[in-house]
Amino acid sequence: MLLEVKDLKVEFHTAEKTSYAVRGVSFNMEKGEILGIVGESGSGKSTLGLTMMGLLPSYAKYTGQVFFDGKDLIPMTFDQLRQYKGDEISVIFQEPMTSLNPLLRIGKQVEEMFFLHAHDKDDRDNPRQVPPKAERKRKVLEMLEAVGLEHPEEVYRKYPHEMSGGQQQRAMIAMALMCEPQLLIADEPTTALDADVQDQILDLLKEINEKRGTSIILVSHDLRVIRRVCHKTLVMYKGEIVEQGTVEEIFENPKDPYTQKLIAAITDETKKNVDVEGDPALEVKDLSVFYLRKSNKLGEKATKRVICENMNFTVKKGEILGLVGKSGSGKSSISRAILGLHKDYTGDIIHYTEHPQMIFQDSAASLNPARKIGWILEEPLKIMEKRGEIKLTKKERKQRVIEMLERVEMREDHYDRYPRQLSGGQKQRVNIALALMSGSKFIIADEPVSALDVTIQEQILELLLKLQKELDLSMLFISHDKNVVERVCDRVIRMEDWQKG
Amino acid sequence: MKYIVKKIITLFVALLLISIIIFVVFSVIPADASIAKLGIDATPEQIAALRAQMGLDKPLFERYFWWLANALQGNFGESFQYTGVKVTTLLARRLGNSALLSLISFIMVVIFSIPIGIFSAKRRSVVARGTMTTITQITMGIPSFFLGLLLTYLFSLVLHWFYVGQFVSPSEDFFGACAYLIFPAIAIALPKIAMTVKFLSNSIRSELHKDYVRTAYAKGSTRDGVLYKHVLKNSMVPVITFLGIIVAEIVAGSVIVEQVFSVPGIGSLLVTAITNRDYPVVEAVVLLIAFFVIVINFIVDMIYQAVDPRVKL
């Protein structure tokens, strides 16, 4: 038995409230196992890993026992636990970019492990000599190569910002493995990465487990990730384990209703690609979008960065057209060009509907934090009144807003709330309501669910599909996530088809 | 390389604009060098004669043109108040004193504010933090000249550690000059130290919430290891820019403090030159200070680039 967690409870005490992140969790883990912990954010899955590492903020209080290799980690002092961290238990995080020190070269950051853990593993009071410089470097280079980084000599000298997200995560893994820990905690290790890089990192984790025998705890909100890599899994919901077992058991025969819902969300029938007959809502002809980057250096001409070239597509009335592409491929620039928010383009963009609107990814940042929901939703109406398109009394305006709130499945009393008082999903509902407020029939949804938890994602997607049917909306649905796009879109087009290289 | 060319062009444009502004200002404010020299009892004929002799009767544009033509050749003309003395000679005599004063002040800021800033950032109790904030706020609020008056009173009149006015030039007695300058340097540096302490400790505290700090703890670093090996360098990045501003403020702030401590530097030269409407001197001093500030900015940019690999100029 490598790990034995008994009745672990974690509470966060802040001035305003006490929240219970983990409510009495117990589980065991064998050596050499890959254990998945799945749940939405706020389920306590990440807190669990951080507790073992003593990485919780100071306002967290925890009780219970965590036996690692027979020793209870919970009552340990900072200095006792410090000797385990990185040496016996390592951790990698969601954001490799920010998790690495931006000012230190990769080689230096990995090499630091030798200085931090210069003692015998069996006898922690017995100091061990730090290996000489040449040997340290050789070992670091070997490790960089082992985690699949090409040209380790170059990587050794690189700064984090000079590498891609996938490479950064590999460097994090190299650092985590340097002292040959028994347990690696991977906290959403692929969430911030592009789809194909995700797979590579997951394969690497599997390989590490098989070749080195390192036990791994894989924390993820994504059941597909868990299914791909893990032997066993725990399903967490609101700080409790609702189900645990082998991956096969959980996927084939989920017992808990929450687990069933999670699994249903990923195995749902995807919408069939159908040709929608009818008039166009949006026509895009020979669209080329680019950025002119003014040089701030003297004597250098402005450079042109081309996002897409000669793009042609039509969104028919009542259709949801998907636009997929990797992050950074310029999907959002295209949507901005279509709505006239980005001026550097050539070609024709013809709208057949009035008031085209957009739903953004960051639901929180899109809402004015200083205004109440009611004010935010009434604003489009006020603008239309100014243009003389409609005439409403104050009461009628409020009535329309409340109708819209109900349409997006929110309550009347949300009218007087501030955005910060709403959850992420609710904020996105407000954004959807805002887009529909002016009676628009064409909407661009730019990664509308990628910042949300799986179960919330599912609800928002269902809402969008429902609204699309009820109001006969046309939609351009932009996402990097193939699964999401396939779930909602009638047809799908790809960014790569209009890009060079 | 292009960056350097651009900086040099900026430098020249800035200096040109500043020199124009000074000329315009001096033509707008009442009284000129001739009146300053002859006093209010002088007859209009005397004034007219002196003005013609000084060249003040010529139109503004013409005067500026000739001044600029000479200045470009390194000739800043003669002072009005000290007749016959070249501006460059006047400056050369005093520049060393001011440079030394600014240098001592800046060294004080660096050697005191960094350790105190770290100390302050490490405090966790509410009481300790409150105390640090109060001390820095009060120190920040004291104007340098007032601090100068307090210091001269305490160290000169009460303790007799030094005597105001007994300044010896560093070329005669370097250490004697440094010892004297320590007191005006304290007056200049103290508020700046307080600002830098506050800035640095805030910077450290905000860095402590970053993801890489969590990684450093996860690697098994000690608290001090995290602070000194990871956080400090990162939190110094904004502080470098801040110190660049501080240097400019030190140079500007020394103008008044030199006066209080009777240090014959370019600051006190500037003050008397302004009262005497001695615009050749004012031009030269202000341009020198501006030149210095722009060069400091350039050096700050260079250091910034050296510290932060993400910055490419």
Side-chain angles (χ1 to χ4, degrees):
Chain A
M1 189 96 68
L2 179 70
L3 193 67
E4 197 179 354
V5 176
K6 282 185 182 166
D7 197 27
L8 184 68
K9 287 179 186 153
V10 184
E11 297 165 11
F12 292 109
H13 295 275
T14 56
E16 295 111 46
K17 59 171 182 181
T18 300
S19 54
Y20 303 90
V22 179
R23 304 161 183 253
V25 160
S26 306
F27 64 90
N28 300 331
M29 185 181 176
E30 298 294 336
K31 276 185 186 164
E33 208 171 71
I34 305 182
L35 175 72
I37 303 182
V38 70
E40 58 196 76
S41 70
S43 63
K45 61 184 193 305
S46 291
T47 309
L48 207 58
L50 294 177
T51 313
M52 287 176 224
M53 297 290 283
L55 293 176
L56 291 178
S58 55
Y59 52 87
K61 297 276 167 296
Y62 42 93
T63 57
Q65 290 162 309
V66 176
F67 289 100
F68 175 80
D69 226 10
K71 292 184 201 73
D72 189 359
L73 300 178
I74 295 295
M76 281 191 186
T77 63
F78 177 86
D79 209 52
Q80 286 169 326
L81 188 58
R82 184 190 78 72
Q83 304 201 348
Y84 283 85
K85 292 193 278 193
D87 202 20
E88 292 290 3
I89 312 174
S90 278
V91 60
I92 58 171
F93 300 101
Q94 180 171 349
E95 294 280 353
M97 177 82 205
T98 54
S99 296
L100 289 162
N101 187 334
L103 301 188
L104 295 181
R105 293 177 200 276
I106 295 298
K108 193 136 197 203
Q109 300 197 40
V110 180
E111 224 174 278
E112 197 191 358
M113 301 304 290
F114 291 111
F115 296 95
L116 295 173
H117 300 291
H119 48 70
D120 267 344
K121 284 204 180 193
D122 300 325
D123 179 11
R124 296 203 167 266
D125 296 325
N126 185 14
R128 193 168 52 185
Q129 205 89 89
V130 175
K133 201 175 173 197
E135 192 191 331
R136 288 199 309 262
K137 185 169 178 183
R138 183 179 56 78
K139 284 189 170 172
V140 171
L141 291 178
E142 275 172 18
M143 184 55 81
L144 291 175
E145 201 164 9
V147 298
L149 284 163
E150 283 171 31
H151 313 296
E153 278 278 359
E154 278 170 37
V155 174
Y156 187 88
R157 285 194 307 274
K158 274 189 177 168
Y159 288 101
H161 73 279
E162 296 168 328
M163 312 202 302
S164 71
Q167 289 174 320
Q168 287 165 352
Q169 197 60 292
R170 285 177 197 272
M172 280 293 289
I173 293 172
M175 194 157 79
L177 295 180
M178 209 59 236
C179 294
E180 292 163 13
Q182 297 195 57
L183 176 63
L184 174 66
I185 302 174
D187 187 358
E188 300 269 10
T190 58
T191 309
L193 304 173
D194 277 330
D196 47 335
V197 185
Q198 284 190 6
D199 290 349
Q200 293 167 14
I201 296 290
L202 293 177
D203 288 343
L204 175 64
L205 289 177
K206 246 175 148 169
E207 186 193 313
I208 288 165
N209 172 261
E210 280 157 19
K211 280 197 186 157
R212 295 173 184 262
T214 314
S215 313
I216 297 176
I217 293 183
L218 181 64
V219 178
S220 180
H221 71 281
D222 192 343
L223 271 172
R224 289 181 210 95
V225 169
I226 301 287
R227 180 160 63 180
R228 213 188 136 98
V229 189
C230 299
H231 305 134
K232 285 187 188 164
T233 187
L234 312 172
V235 181
M236 282 194 73
Y237 183 62
K238 291 191 172 163
E240 283 168 22
I241 297 178
V242 292
E243 192 158 357
Q244 54 181 311
T246 66
V247 168
E248 292 78 33
E249 281 167 15
I250 300 260
F251 273 85
E252 275 157 29
N253 190 13
K255 292 190 181 69
D256 187 82
Y258 178 73
T259 321
Q260 290 167 352
K261 215 169 100 194
L262 277 181
I263 290 169
I266 64 160
T267 50
D268 236 8
E269 283 267 320
T270 55
K271 225 172 153 174
K272 292 276 154 19
N273 284 5
V274 283
D275 266 335
V276 181
E277 296 288 319
D279 304 329
L282 169 80
E283 258 185 273
V284 170
K285 289 180 189 162
D286 291 329
L287 178 71
S288 300
V289 180
F290 50 89
Y291 278 96
L292 288 176
R293 190 165 29 201
K294 269 192 212 152
S295 162
N296 40 19
K297 285 178 188 156
L298 204 78
E300 201 180 70
K301 278 186 186 161
T303 47
K304 192 170 164 182
R305 195 177 140 232
V306 178
I307 301 296
C308 68
E309 282 193 317
N310 301 326
M311 204 170 193
N312 285 293
F313 64 85
T314 307
V315 183
K316 303 239 174 82
K317 282 198 173 137
E319 176 192 42
I320 303 182
L321 180 71
L323 174 61
V324 265
K326 286 182 188 176
S327 61
S329 63
K331 303 182 296 286
S332 298
S333 309
I334 290 167
S335 57
R336 290 166 57 85
I338 292 174
L339 285 188
L341 299 169
H342 178 78
K343 301 286 181 201
D344 292 338
Y345 68 86
T346 57
D348 294 317
I349 295 166
I350 309 158
H351 285 281
Y352 293 93
T353 62
E354 285 189 324
H355 308 302
Q357 287 290 337
M358 190 153 169
I359 304 165
F360 298 93
Q361 171 176 6
D362 194 337
S363 58
S366 310
L367 299 173
N368 184 342
R371 294 291 186 179
K372 289 180 180 166
I373 300 304
W375 189 94
I376 293 171
L377 290 179
E378 279 182 13
E379 202 181 15
L381 296 177
K382 288 181 193 157
I383 294 169
M384 287 170 79
E385 278 180 47
K386 257 185 206 159
R387 290 210 210 108
E389 291 173 22
I390 48 167
K391 190 107 191 75
L392 295 171
T393 62
K394 217 177 154 188
K395 217 174 151 190
E396 283 170 335
R397 257 204 321 256
K398 184 167 179 179
Q399 191 50 42
R400 280 214 192 179
V401 168
I402 287 168
E403 275 167 23
M404 187 54 78
L405 279 174
E406 279 162 3
R407 206 175 257 290
V408 296
E409 293 158 8
M410 296 196 35
R411 290 189 314 273
E412 196 179 330
D413 61 301
H414 286 123
Y415 185 88
D416 285 320
R417 299 275 175 86
Y418 285 98
R420 61 167 184 277
Q421 295 168 306
L422 304 181
S423 70
Q426 286 174 323
K427 278 181 221 162
Q428 198 57 298
R429 284 172 194 271
V430 173
N431 276 306
I432 293 170
L434 185 61
L436 296 173
M437 214 54 225
S438 51
S440 88
K441 291 283 176 199
F442 174 71
I443 285 178
I444 298 180
D446 187 359
E447 301 267 11
V449 295
S450 57
L452 303 170
D453 289 322
V454 245
T455 45
I456 312 289
Q457 274 189 9
E458 186 57 24
Q459 293 166 8
I460 296 289
L461 292 177
E462 265 166 27
L463 175 70
L464 280 174
L465 286 171
K466 187 194 91 173
L467 290 170
Q468 189 256 338
K469 277 203 197 90
E470 281 180 11
L471 302 169
D472 196 28
L473 299 175
S474 315
M475 229 183 272
L476 179 62
F477 190 98
I478 299 175
S479 181
H480 72 285
D481 191 338
K482 252 176 23 203
N483 297 305
V484 169
V485 170
E486 278 168 10
R487 163 119 175 74
V488 295
C489 299
D490 300 305
R491 284 188 301 140
V492 179
I493 54 173
R494 272 161 229 293
M495 271 304 289
E496 292 103 82
D497 298 344
W498 289 283
Q499 284 175 318
K500 275 187 180 169
Chain B
M1 207 46 220
K2 275 171 189 156
Y3 168 78
I4 293 172
V5 173
K6 193 186 156 197
K7 272 283 161 181
I8 290 172
I9 292 173
T10 321
L11 175 71
F12 277 104
V13 172
L15 293 183
L16 196 68
L17 287 177
I18 291 166
S19 70
I20 293 173
I21 291 168
I22 298 169
F23 253 85
V24 172
V25 168
F26 267 79
S27 70
V28 171
I29 54 173
D32 61 17
S34 60
I35 299 167
K37 193 143 198 158
L38 296 171
I40 47 166
D41 294 334
T43 63
E45 291 77 27
Q46 284 174 312
I47 289 175
L50 189 59
R51 286 187 56 143
Q53 191 196 329
M54 285 173 162
L56 289 172
D57 54 342
K58 299 203 175 69
L60 178 69
F61 177 76
E62 195 183 327
R63 273 190 287 144
Y64 180 71
F65 179 77
W66 285 113
W67 175 85
L68 184 64
N70 286 323
L72 286 175
Q73 294 162 34
N75 176 7
F76 285 87
E78 288 176 3
S79 160
F80 287 160
Q81 58 185 129
Y82 310 99
T83 322
V85 184
K86 280 195 155 181
V87 172
T88 38
T89 323
L90 265 180
L91 275 180
R93 256 185 242 155
R94 291 153 175 267
L95 185 60
N97 301 341
S98 290
L100 192 60
L101 176 59
S102 296
L103 186 68
I104 295 174
S105 312
F106 183 66
I107 292 173
M108 277 187 182
V109 171
V110 173
I111 59 174
F112 285 108
S113 60
I114 292 175
I116 300 175
I118 295 169
F119 174 82
S120 166
K122 278 167 97 173
R123 296 308 104 194
R124 293 196 193 173
S125 78
V126 179
V127 179
R129 283 192 179 187
T131 316
M132 287 305 294
T133 313
T134 314
I135 294 173
T136 48
Q137 289 291 5
I138 291 172
T139 323
M140 249 188 272
I142 305 176
S144 281
F145 75 90
F146 182 68
L147 203 56
L149 290 175
L150 288 182
L151 289 172
T152 46
Y153 177 76
L154 179 65
F155 292 108
S156 182
L157 298 177
V158 178
L159 295 172
H160 303 291
W161 286 9
F162 82 115
Y163 295 98
V164 172
Q166 282 191 346
F167 178 72
V168 279
S169 141
S171 54
E172 286 168 36
D173 176 7
F174 183 76
F175 293 104
C178 289
Y180 184 94
L181 289 177
I182 282 178
F183 299 98
I186 293 173
I188 297 171
L190 212 52
K192 314 292 177 218
I193 292 173
M195 285 182 210
T196 317
V197 163
K198 193 175 160 74
F199 194 84
L200 176 61
S201 60
N202 283 347
S203 177
I204 291 175
R205 279 195 201 134
S206 66
E207 284 297 321
L208 283 173
H209 296 290
K210 297 266 174 81
D211 286 350
Y212 72 86
V213 173
R214 186 179 58 181
T215 308
Y217 277 119
K219 284 162 91 173
S221 302
T222 58
R223 288 204 173 90
D224 277 356
V226 171
L227 184 61
Y228 293 107
K229 292 221 174 71
H230 292 276
V231 171
L232 192 57
K233 198 174 173 191
N234 276 287
S235 57
M236 281 306 285
V237 172
V239 175
I240 291 167
T241 316
F242 188 75
L243 283 177
I245 302 167
I246 290 290
V247 175
E249 284 192 359
I250 285 174
V251 174
S254 64
V255 171
I256 306 291
V257 173
E258 279 177 9
Q259 198 74 345
V260 173
F261 285 85
S262 301
V263 177
I266 55 167
S268 45
L269 179 66
L270 182 63
V271 174
T272 51
I274 291 173
T275 27
N276 290 316
R277 305 289 186 267
D278 192 353
Y279 76 74
V281 173
V282 176
E283 282 280 357
V285 173
V286 173
L287 288 184
L288 189 70
I289 292 177
F291 174 79
F292 183 66
V293 169
I294 295 170
V295 169
I296 289 290
N297 263 317
F298 176 70
I299 296 171
V300 167
D301 283 352
M302 289 288 120
I303 298 176
Y304 203 87
Q305 186 182 8
V307 173
D308 191 338
R310 288 166 297 183
V311 178
K312 286 277 169 288
L313 296 171

